[in-house]
Amino acid sequence: MSKVKPTIYDPQKHTAVEGIKVNSNYLRGTLQQSLQSEITGAIADDDQMIIKFHGSYQQDDRDLRAERRKQKLEPLYSFMIRARLPGGVASAEQYKVLAKVAQDYGHSSLRLTTRQTYQWHGIVKRDLKKTIAGINRALVDSIAACGDVNRNVMANPLFEQSKLHTEVYQWSKKISEHLLPNTNAYHEIWLDGEKVESTEEPIYGKTYLPRKFKIAIAVPPNNDVDIYANDIGLIAIPDGEKLKGFNILIGGGMGSSHNDSETYPRAASEIGFCKPEQALEVVESILKVQRDYGNREVRKLARLKYTIDGLTVEGFKEVLADYLGWSLQPAQPFSFEHNGDRYGWIKSDDGRWHLTLYIHSGRIKDTEQSQVFTGLLKIADLLAGQSDDGHNGEFRCSPNQNLIISNVTEGNKTSIEQILEQHNISIGQTETPTRLNALACVAFPTCALAMAEAERYLPTLLDKIEEQLEQYGIADVPINIRMTGCPNGCARPYLGEIGFVGKAPGKYNLYLGASHTGDRVNKLYRENFNEEQILKELDPIFASFAEQRLSEESFGDFVIRQGYVSAVHNGRDFHA
Amino acid sequence: MTVKEHQLSNFGGKPLNDELLHQIRNLSAQEINWLSGYCAGLLDYQSENISVPDVANLPEANPVAGSDSKSGSKSAQPVLVLYASQTGNAQSIAEQLFDHLHAKSIAVELKSSLEITVKELANYSAILLVASTHGEGEPPDDAIDLYEALTSKKILSKGSLLKDVSFAVLGLGDSSYEFFCQTAKDFAQSFTKLGAQELTEAMFCDVDYQQSAAQWIDQVSVAVTALVAQISATQSSASLVTSNAVIGSSSTPIAEVNTSYNKDNPFKATVATIQKITGRGSPKETYHVEIDIEDSNISYQPGDALGIVAHNQQPLVEDIISLLALDGEVSVDYHNQTLTLKHYLTEYAELTLVSKATIKALLELEASVQLQEIYDSGYSEFITNHQFIDLLHIARPTITAQQLVDILKPIKPRLYSIASSQQEYEDEVHLTLNHISVNNPYGERYGLASHHLTQTLSEGEAVSIFVEHNPKFKLPAVEAPVIMVGPGTGVAPFRAFLQERAASNSTEKNWLIFGNPHFDTDFLYQLEIQKYVSSGLLNKLDLAFSRDSEQKVYVQHKLLENAVEVWQWLEQGAYFYVCGDMHNMAKDVEQALLTIIQEQGQRDEEAAKQYLKALKINQRYQRDVY
Ligand code: SRM
Ligand SMILES: Cc1cc2nc3c(=O)[nH]c(=O)nc-3n(C[C@H](O)[C@H](O)[C@H](O)COP(=O)(O)OP(=O)(O)OC[C@H]3O[C@@H](n4cnc5c(N)ncnc54)[C@H](O)[C@@H]3O)c2cc1C
Ligand SMILES: Cc1cc2nc3c(=O)[nH]c(=O)nc-3n(C[C@H](O)[C@H](O)[C@H](O)COP(=O)(O)O)c2cc1C
Ligand code: SF4
């Protein structure tokens, strides 16, 4: 008997969020009224859930919360907007517009994310509509950048084989478009599109997905997209210069809660191979299985990874076969080298140049040290100015919060270098490999869920760790260090050879032992440590790493071989 | 006012004015005979200086005269006690005078200047006016129409309109303002121009007016008694002998000493909370201050103001002393007591508000071209960011300690609209105030009271306060809807109003119109206001954040946007309140209100003015502006 069983909303059993979605008239909610109300900078509670589907979150400046309560003022509410940018690619022309929007409404700051897109922070409610409209003027939108739908589809920039990459990038766009919600709400609310009475959601239905859903495409040997952290990972298998098809991985995810063994980060499991033309059907079917089998009663257990472990991987494959009507072929061989970015200039076989910049925590903002925002805008002006055949220079977001200025002609190289000079923007030639690989999530002051600092604190901790690495002569060995302000794992900390996960202000859990290629998550090593304890704990480990490291052995593999922690092979081992 | 001014405004000057001398000369033998007796009686009265002359010795006016206004004869003309008052001081003096004359069964009427036209003034034998001055030398709200009429060319051309009327004027004012007692002065001038005769010389009182006002009442009541007597004498000597009424009538004590706390006897309260309530990056420094008044049995009503008695900053005092190369320890004479200069400057001298008189006095001691220019043309602009010490920087005078004392004005308390209701905070008074600090080429200058309250005091320390009751800014006595226009710190009394309405669970509608520069940082009491909206106490809220949009939006714009509803509310009997800045806001709001009355009420300008006046008369349009 078929395992296909469409979702039926059950108000008794399902969470409140499910009710909000069902009653939102396809993601309209009461957003219009919420935007009008002048008495508060916030929007209605239910709308706070709905607006995520439009690519925005309500936040408040957590640095000011206590102070403002005393001042008899409400929290300083503002909104984060996240662009939907498949493969992270924007033309210089588009970047210009996006940056101008940030100038006008977003404190002249853009935030590159760990999923290859831009975020605007601190947009006040009265500017929200203008901002979103402004973004759309660049022909970029923010639909489904957040919410219980498929998110921004990642695809890694691999320039050595730019033909293959172009193909892969096209797929990331196709998948993103294919899985977009169908509702017209976004256009009605933000772009004054005229009202469309009946909306159908052929793929999602009224209840959309039980939880967020993430897809990435990787092209070996490069795993910079952290394919194993995604609900669906597609690994491009090349046939010479062309694309042969994709290996399919499912059930990756980072999110977990402290001391809750029901939740855990999980590296995705490989379930087979499909041809390019089958890709859309495959991802849609996997998504539909999650739609119908995913847990709608307990949100924290609603991600695909838990659905899969509930059914077992084999069980899931059977269900999928029923949804597809056919079965995947066996997976093809491939191998990854690392999951970081390569900095500096690269020339691709079509003679174009690509420059990966080092941007700490992806924060594009002017500071005393470097005027990143101004500098990049100048470069965009330069490239957008001279438009031969449309794509004379692109701005690409790397999956690790960096920016790649790509498809640059020989002629523009030096002028770009000059601008970088003048504005003191790094191309990653002076930083240690460890710093270049380091990731930190946003956390304070905007993130509502942060328990500790991340983006604002990691640099100072790195200074001290670098001293230690220097001391033991291992400063040139790349070690993946990742820090997040809470266990949700936005900077994929569980895939860090060293992971710091915030517990309380100044206190972190210390994780060790992820692989350097990003296919094995790490394990809890020490709990609730402050800086002093962290450094004291790491020092002897670095010392012995320096002495006893096998050649080319990564730090993550070393700590396991030395028995500091045991390897985590599947989600359930994480707490074991 | 200074001692000198004070004496001048008393019985000094010439014994009788020309007018009276002239009249005496034209009296008949019989009348002169009577007058001599009267004067004798009067003399005793004055030498004994008891408050009330024994009326038995004096003829009384025809008791029915006052009520029978149709009767043409002059004796039938009652005496009018008229007041022009914003916050009630002038009114209460007028009331004292009225009681006083009434007690002597003189036919007397008490009127607000709202309730009378210029023509009607002619129906009285005497007009006894007590008038305060507000704004920048402007008449108080209730007197605006009468003032305009009396100063209009049209009326003044009718030279002799008041020729049969005598008048006396008491001005209440504050000599630290450029136009001291301007309203009273202008009224007096108009009366004269219209042919009225001055009954007693006009008196102009400074902030501590109680004593001199009492003297004025004495002085006027005597003169009036004489006048009435004289008039009735002219028509029938019969009434003289048959008079036996009201012997030894006990009249209310005139200089009614206020037993509760006042500026000379303030209550030492404790500041419980000093909290800045504008957010980071705000252009304003607005504070919420909570003062503990436990065991003071002070009681106040929403709409009342709190007086703060503050001392001058030591740094300021020392700077002044050293600028003048004086010794702070030398003793100086002030109001016939001897103090050290430092003590005087700290506690008795007005140093932060510069009065024009002070500049003048200083110029007389030390010529200064620059200061002279300021005096002649730049004063009002100058005072917006300068204080007394800056005069010294400019003029660099060499003066003695005593000269310094003589040119300075007495320090005065600052008033703050009370922002709390005792129904909610029995033992507290809350204030909402801006910290005043301004820069000028000579340095940074701070406001006396606002700096004291928000910067020098710390929580738990003592502050000297008294309640300044304001009967003219009160919630409706009857249940009625209220419209409250209170931008900036003007929201203070409305916070009190809302607390009061909430506590007395009034079912009437409340509408608040608030404005300030920015929503993010300047939405004063946002959390409380949000609660009042969700609880339904606030039926309507309109917000004007002027600097959040391209074109500036102010409260008056919000009124105009809501013209239809404003009119509906007014027609439903709503009370309309305005509090805050008097320089622009209050004027613009009144203009908007007039426009609404014209357009929504289909009235022409004149009719609209009448409508607004009616609102004032019925206390449905009240203002607390500063
Ligand atoms: C901006 C970004 C971090 C960064 O420094 O780049 C980010 C920021 C936030 N994430 Fe994330 N997540 C970001 C990538 C991730 C990733 C990494 C990835 O996808 O490769 C993960 C782990 C992978 C995964 O999904 O498991 C991730 C797992 C979460 C979770 C945990 C989900 C779970 O299954 O438990 C939450 C909390 C939630 O969804 O309830 C979350 C929630 C959030 C929110 C929206 C907090 C909130 O819900 O209120 C954060 C907004 C902070 C701010 O002020 O911007 N974010 N978040 C990344 C934006 C990616 C994008 O462009 O879409
Ligand atoms: C009935 C009433 C109610 C009031 N309610 C409030 C209230 O609720 N909240 C509130 O904040 N204030 C209120 N005020 C105003 C308050 O009384 C003080 O005038 C104000 O706080 C300034 O006093 P200060 O002692 O701090 O400054 P001051 O010592 O009086 O000095 C004021 C300084 O401001 C500068 N300045 C700028 N513009 C001018 C100007 N046009 N004229 C004179 N000086 C100017 C000068 O440099 C001067 O030194 C009220 C006033 C009245 C009469
Ligand atoms: C906002 C405000 C402005 C004033 N402006 C003047 C003025 O220009 N000239 C003056 O002599 N007195 C001025 N005064 C002082 C008042 O006339 C004085 O306080 C008087 O006692 C008020 O009497 P009332 O309560 O009858 O209005 C002003 C008072 C206030 C509160
Ligand atoms: S990991 Fe936690 S703190 Fe960091 S951005 Fe994500 S939700 Fe916020």
Side-chain angles (χ1 to χ4, degrees):
Chain A
M1 152 215 158
S2 164
K3 297 195 163 67
V4 181
K5 49 154 199 170
T7 304
I8 299 130
Y9 169 59
D10 177 348
Q12 265 58 43
K13 295 218 191 75
H14 292 172
T15 62
V17 177
E18 295 301 312
I20 296 173
K21 287 185 273 185
V22 171
N23 302 321
S24 71
N25 178 22
Y26 293 102
L27 307 182
R28 288 173 179 83
T30 58
L31 270 170
Q32 299 280 24
Q33 296 90 301
S34 277
L35 291 176
Q36 265 133 37
S37 127
E38 289 182 332
I39 184 175
T40 172
I43 58 177
D45 294 357
D46 288 5
D47 292 333
Q48 290 176 32
M49 173 49 64
I50 295 303
I51 200 170
K52 296 179 184 181
F53 292 79
H54 299 247
S56 179
Y57 281 78
Q58 179 180 308
Q59 308 182 312
D60 75 285
D61 186 333
R62 296 184 61 185
D63 290 346
L64 301 185
R65 248 187 220 176
E67 171 178 316
R68 285 178 64 97
R69 197 179 306 110
K70 280 211 189 132
Q71 293 171 326
K72 304 178 189 292
L73 294 167
E74 70 178 12
L76 187 51
Y77 292 114
S78 70
F79 292 77
M80 176 268 273
I81 302 173
R82 184 181 290 167
R84 182 180 65 93
L85 207 64
V89 181
S91 71
E93 194 55 65
Q94 286 175 310
Y95 180 85
K96 254 178 78 174
V97 180
L98 301 181
K100 291 259 159 60
V101 169
Q103 262 177 335
D104 293 346
Y105 310 112
H107 314 281
S108 295
S109 161
L110 279 167
R111 179 58 156 70
L112 292 158
T113 74
T114 53
R115 289 193 73 81
Q116 289 185 292
T117 189
Y118 301 98
Q119 278 184 185
W120 293 259
H121 285 109
I123 313 289
V124 293
K125 188 171 82 174
R126 57 183 178 278
D127 291 339
L128 197 51
K129 192 168 172 175
K130 284 180 261 172
T131 309
I132 292 179
I135 293 166
N136 279 263
R137 229 170 283 125
L139 303 178
V140 173
D141 62 52
S142 59
I143 305 171
C146 322
D148 296 342
V149 283
N150 174 54
R151 304 286 190 90
N152 202 37
V153 176
M154 302 219 283
N156 66 348
L158 187 85
F159 303 107
E160 291 80 349
Q161 311 170 20
S162 57
K163 286 215 183 55
L164 181 58
H165 178 268
T166 325
E167 227 180 321
V168 165
Y169 166 61
Q170 291 309 329
W171 279 108
S172 70
K173 262 168 95 171
K174 281 192 203 124
I175 295 171
S176 183
E177 305 292 333
H178 183 73
L179 298 179
L180 270 185
N182 194 34
T183 173
N184 195 49
Y186 187 87
H187 297 86
E188 283 172 25
I189 295 170
W190 308 109
L191 309 175
D192 296 320
E194 93 289 347
K195 275 214 164 301
V196 175
E197 276 332 317
S198 72
T199 320
E200 281 298 295
E201 288 287 10
I203 296 182
Y204 291 109
K206 268 180 178 294
T207 49
Y208 294 85
L209 296 180
R211 202 71 167 80
K212 58 174 61 164
F213 198 85
K214 297 176 173 180
I215 301 177
I217 311 176
V219 185
N222 209 359
N223 183 29
D224 49 7
V225 295
D226 264 328
I227 200 83
Y228 295 95
N230 288 268
D231 295 273
I232 301 180
L234 299 94
I235 295 171
I237 306 297
D239 174 7
E241 281 202 334
K242 296 187 68 285
L243 177 66
K244 182 173 170 198
F246 300 103
N247 278 3
I248 306 295
L249 282 64
I250 57 167
M254 295 281 105
S256 66
S257 317
H258 286 306
N259 315 326
D260 175 354
S261 57
E262 280 187 314
T263 68
Y264 46 83
R266 184 182 189 283
S269 334
E270 199 167 56
I271 57 166
F273 172 89
C274 77
K275 299 205 207 60
E277 58 273 21
Q278 299 173 314
L280 289 183
E281 193 184 353
V282 171
V283 294
E284 177 179 331
S285 303
I286 296 171
L287 181 141
K288 282 178 169 166
V289 176
Q290 162 65 357
R291 177 196 66 193
D292 301 338
Y293 281 72
N295 186 335
R296 292 185 188 262
E297 298 171 22
V298 186
R299 236 181 121 68
K300 67 172 184 172
L301 301 179
R303 287 294 290 274
L304 178 63
K305 60 185 175 185
Y306 303 116
T307 313
I308 292 168
D309 287 346
L311 294 163
T312 73
V313 174
E314 283 316 308
F316 188 93
K317 283 164 86 173
E318 289 172 22
V319 178
L320 178 60
D322 278 5
Y323 274 71
L324 273 171
W326 50 274
S327 300
L328 298 170
Q329 303 163 34
Q332 312 244 341
F334 68 91
S335 83
F336 285 130
E337 280 163 12
H338 63 81
N339 61 352
D341 288 342
R342 278 112 358 105
Y343 295 88
W345 288 104
I346 294 173
K347 190 175 190 181
S348 55
D349 45 22
D350 60 0
R352 295 292 184 112
W353 286 92
H354 315 273
L355 173 64
T356 304
L357 304 170
Y358 168 66
I359 296 176
H360 168 67
S361 288
R363 188 63 73 177
I364 300 177
K365 186 176 187 173
D366 291 352
T367 63
E368 284 80 24
Q369 299 78 26
S370 73
Q371 297 68 52
V372 187
F373 188 87
T374 312
L376 291 180
L377 194 50
K378 284 217 180 109
I379 294 173
D381 280 326
L382 172 82
L383 298 178
Q386 19 155 305
S387 186
D388 73 10
D389 70 23
H391 30 60
N392 184 17
E394 285 165 351
F395 281 63
R396 302 187 176 198
C397 308
S398 91
N400 296 308
Q401 304 170 327
N402 290 312
L403 195 68
I404 302 158
I405 300 171
S406 80
N407 281 326
V408 176
T409 55
E410 190 74 43
N412 284 326
K413 257 187 92 188
T414 39
S415 6
I416 290 176
E417 275 161 352
Q418 278 166 4
I419 298 177
L420 296 173
E421 266 305 313
Q422 289 156 4
H423 298 85
N424 203 356
I425 301 170
S426 164
I427 61 169
Q429 305 308 302
T430 51
E431 295 78 2
T432 64
T434 294
R435 188 177 290 262
L436 292 174
N437 279 306
L439 286 185
C441 72
V442 178
F444 284 102
T446 53
C447 179
L449 307 174
M451 302 174 179
E453 294 282 353
E455 175 184 330
R456 294 194 294 192
Y457 168 58
L458 184 59
T460 48
L461 180 60
L462 279 178
D463 294 341
K464 295 172 177 149
I465 289 178
E466 279 175 336
E467 277 172 30
Q468 296 179 318
L469 298 177
E470 195 59 48
Q471 183 192 342
Y472 299 114
I474 47 173
D476 56 343
V477 184
I479 300 174
N480 287 347
I481 298 182
R482 294 172 170 192
M483 171 179 280
T484 58
C486 87
N488 285 320
C490 296
R492 302 184 287 262
Y494 307 111
L495 289 171
E497 296 174 278
I498 302 175
F500 299 107
V501 175
K503 244 194 133 181
K507 297 286 187 69
Y508 298 84
N509 283 0
L510 170 56
Y511 294 81
L512 297 175
S515 68
H516 194 69
T517 54
D519 58 2
R520 179 183 70 232
V521 302
N522 52 23
K523 197 167 175 58
L524 179 64
Y525 180 61
R526 292 288 181 263
E527 217 172 343
N528 220 17
F529 265 29
N530 64 24
E531 182 177 278
E532 196 192 344
Q533 295 168 300
I534 288 168
L535 294 171
K536 218 159 135 283
E537 198 65 38
L538 287 177
D539 190 82
I541 307 181
F542 289 146
S544 70
F545 181 55
E547 283 169 17
Q548 304 171 35
R549 178 189 184 201
L550 308 175
S551 75
E552 296 310 303
E553 185 177 32
S554 72
F555 184 75
D557 296 343
F558 170 81
V559 292
I560 285 168
R561 183 170 59 84
Q562 293 291 317
Y564 289 99
V565 292
S566 54
V568 176
H569 293 299
N570 67 59
R572 297 266 162 85
D573 304 349
F574 182 73
H575 294 283
Chain B
M1 64 182 163
T2 65
V3 189
K4 212 159 99 280
E5 277 175 46
H6 194 288
Q7 285 157 347
L8 270 180
S9 56
N10 274 318
F11 267 154
K14 71 173 99 66
L16 293 177
N17 65 46
D18 307 339
E19 212 52 57
L20 195 52
L21 283 169
H22 172 76
Q23 286 180 342
I24 293 172
R25 282 193 207 92
N26 304 345
L27 291 176
S28 68
Q30 187 197 25
E31 287 162 334
I32 296 179
N33 169 15
W34 168 83
L35 185 62
S36 59
Y38 168 75
C39 292
L42 186 56
L43 206 61
D44 313 345
Y45 152 64
Q46 275 181 6
S47 51
E48 288 161 41
N49 193 23
I50 51 152
S51 64
V52 192
D54 179 0
V55 287
N57 307 340
L58 294 170
E60 58 168 330
N62 172 354
V64 294
S67 47
D68 173 18
S69 51
K70 263 167 244 66
S71 129
S73 81
K74 190 159 185 226
S75 71
Q77 309 288 25
V79 170
L80 172 67
V81 176
L82 184 64
Y83 59 86
S85 179
Q86 184 76 37
T87 55
N89 298 350
Q91 181 175 356
S92 74
I93 292 169
E95 283 160 1
Q96 290 172 42
L97 176 58
F98 172 81
D99 293 346
H100 197 62
L101 296 176
H102 192 69
K104 301 205 271 150
S105 28
I106 289 173
V108 57
E109 295 176 18
L110 177 71
K111 275 188 159 42
S112 150
S113 41
L114 261 176
E115 306 163 320
I116 192 151
T117 66
V118 177
K119 278 201 185 46
E120 289 164 355
L121 286 176
N123 306 338
Y124 295 90
S125 56
I127 303 165
L128 312 176
L129 172 69
V130 187
S132 70
T133 302
H134 279 262
E136 299 295 320
E138 293 147 31
D141 286 348
D142 62 352
I144 291 168
D145 295 353
L146 184 65
Y147 180 89
E148 280 175 359
L150 270 174
T151 48
S152 70
K153 294 228 172 356
K154 187 158 128 285
I155 299 279
L156 290 176
S157 60
K158 301 197 178 72
S160 58
L161 188 78
L162 300 180
K163 70 173 190 339
D164 298 334
V165 183
S166 309
F167 75 93
V169 169
L170 177 70
L172 295 193
D174 176 342
S175 56
S176 66
Y177 284 92
E178 178 175 6
F179 305 101
F180 175 54
C181 290
Q182 196 57 47
T183 308
K185 289 173 181 168
D186 294 347
F187 271 120
Q189 197 183 26
S190 295
F191 290 155
T192 315
K193 282 196 181 141
L194 291 170
Q197 305 93 37
E198 200 167 35
L199 192 58
T200 63
E201 192 169 353
M203 185 190 285
F204 304 112
C205 306
D206 211 331
V207 278
D208 37 20
Y209 57 84
Q210 289 288 2
Q211 200 191 358
S212 26
Q215 270 153 335
W216 182 79
I217 291 181
D218 286 351
Q219 181 181 330
V220 170
S221 51
V222 169
V224 169
T225 324
L227 178 72
V228 170
Q230 169 207 12
I231 293 166
S232 44
T234 54
Q235 57 162 191
S236 84
S237 49
S239 58
L240 287 173
V241 265
T242 57
S243 147
N244 59 354
V246 282
I247 293 163
S249 76
S250 65
S251 71
T252 49
I254 296 162
E256 167 196 303
V257 210
N258 189 344
T259 46
S260 69
Y261 302 103
N262 58 36
K263 76 181 225 303
D264 304 312
N265 168 34
F267 174 71
K268 280 230 175 306
T270 6
V271 201
T273 309
I274 304 169
Q275 174 63 55
K276 186 166 180 284
I277 55 171
T278 41
R280 291 194 196 183
S282 168
K284 290 194 161 185
E285 269 186 273
T286 308
Y287 283 78
H288 171 77
V289 172
E290 297 180 355
I291 297 171
D292 185 339
I293 54 168
E294 210 174 342
D295 316 323
S296 65
N297 35 46
I298 285 178
S299 79
Y300 62 84
Q301 291 298 315
D304 290 342
L306 192 75
I308 299 288
V309 179
H311 292 170
N312 287 305
Q313 300 286 305
Q314 276 321 292
L316 178 62
V317 170
E318 265 137 33
D319 287 356
I320 290 175
I321 292 174
S322 64
L323 260 176
L324 292 168
L326 294 171
D327 170 5
E329 298 311 317
V330 296
S331 44
V332 292
D333 298 336
Y334 176 70
H335 285 194
N336 38 45
Q337 50 182 329
T338 307
L339 314 157
T340 69
L341 178 62
K342 194 167 178 181
H343 183 193
Y344 162 76
L345 288 174
T346 310
E347 296 184 19
Y348 297 90
E350 180 61 69
L351 297 180
T352 57
L353 285 173
V354 189
S355 79
K356 208 162 183 184
T358 301
I359 302 184
K360 187 152 187 287
L362 184 61
L363 280 167
E364 280 160 10
L365 296 171
E366 183 81 45
S368 153
V369 182
Q370 193 185 345
L371 194 55
Q372 188 64 50
E373 273 168 15
I374 292 163
Y375 181 77
D376 296 338
S377 49
Y379 175 73
S380 43
E381 200 262 327
F382 178 80
I383 55 156
T384 60
N385 64 337
H386 292 81
Q387 305 188 344
F388 177 71
I389 188 167
D390 301 310
L391 303 182
L392 304 179
H393 280 291
I394 294 167
R396 292 259 158 219
T398 35
I399 58 175
T400 67
Q402 189 58 49
Q403 284 174 317
L404 178 60
V405 174
D406 294 339
I407 62 174
L408 284 167
K409 295 277 173 193
I411 195 167
K412 58 167 181 159
R414 307 298 197 253
L415 298 182
Y416 296 93
S417 318
I418 293 176
S420 52
S421 155
Q422 276 185 304
Q423 291 213 44
E424 182 146 347
Y425 299 95
E426 197 186 346
D427 296 328
E428 298 175 22
V429 182
H430 297 181
L431 306 178
T432 315
L433 63 143
N434 287 323
H435 173 225
I436 301 232
S437 73
V438 287
N439 279 305
N440 69 44
Y442 311 102
E444 178 152 42
R445 306 291 175 234
Y446 301 119
L448 169 69
S450 61
H451 191 72
H452 176 65
L453 274 170
T454 66
Q455 312 297 313
T456 32
L457 278 181
S458 21
E459 293 176 357
E461 290 181 349
V463 58
S464 301
I465 62 159
F466 62 94
V467 171
E468 181 85 357
H469 294 287
N470 182 352
K472 305 209 142 200
F473 198 77
K474 285 278 164 286
L475 275 166
V478 299
E479 280 279 286
V482 300
I483 302 175
M484 300 166 280
V485 182
T489 54
V491 76
F494 302 133
R495 181 174 181 263
F497 279 19
L498 288 167
Q499 287 178 6
E500 186 86 359
R501 297 273 257 196
S504 57
N505 31 49
S506 137
T507 55
E508 276 299 346
K509 292 193 294 177
N510 302 297
W511 179 355
L512 177 65
I513 302 174
F514 174 78
N516 235 359
H518 300 291
F519 170 85
D520 292 343
T521 53
D522 313 328
F523 190 163
L524 305 184
Y525 301 110
Q526 179 181 30
L527 291 177
E528 295 180 2
I529 291 173
Q530 287 177 340
K531 277 204 208 73
Y532 286 141
V533 169
S534 41
S535 79
L537 180 76
L538 257 183
N539 307 72
K540 192 160 162 54
L541 173 71
D542 283 279
L543 300 165
F545 292 104
S546 53
R547 303 202 204 150
D548 283 347
S549 52
E550 289 72 20
Q551 71 288 8
K552 291 189 186 277
V553 224
Y554 296 108
V555 283
Q556 62 267 27
H557 301 118
K558 287 291 165 183
L559 279 170
L560 293 167
E561 271 176 36
N562 292 274
V564 177
E565 270 179 280
V566 173
W567 179 246
Q568 282 169 356
W569 282 54
L570 287 176
E571 288 294 276
Q572 293 161 3
Y575 281 51
F576 193 96
Y577 298 86
V578 183
C579 180
D581 165 58
M582 69 179 174
H583 299 285
N584 306 307
M585 185 276 291
K587 295 183 174 70
D588 298 341
V589 165
E590 178 156 314
Q591 192 43 57
L593 192 53
L594 277 168
T595 313
I596 291 169
I597 296 169
Q598 279 185 57
E599 290 173 0
Q600 301 302 315
Q602 277 107 16
R603 284 168 166 72
D604 64 18
E605 196 181 344
E606 194 42 49
K609 287 212 174 107
Q610 288 309 316
Y611 187 97
L612 193 64
K613 183 173 175 183
L615 287 182
K616 283 185 197 166
I617 295 177
N618 306 322
Q619 272 105 50
R620 284 179 49 205
Y621 176 40
Q622 302 183 18
R623 307 202 306 171
D624 176 23
V625 297
Y626 46 86

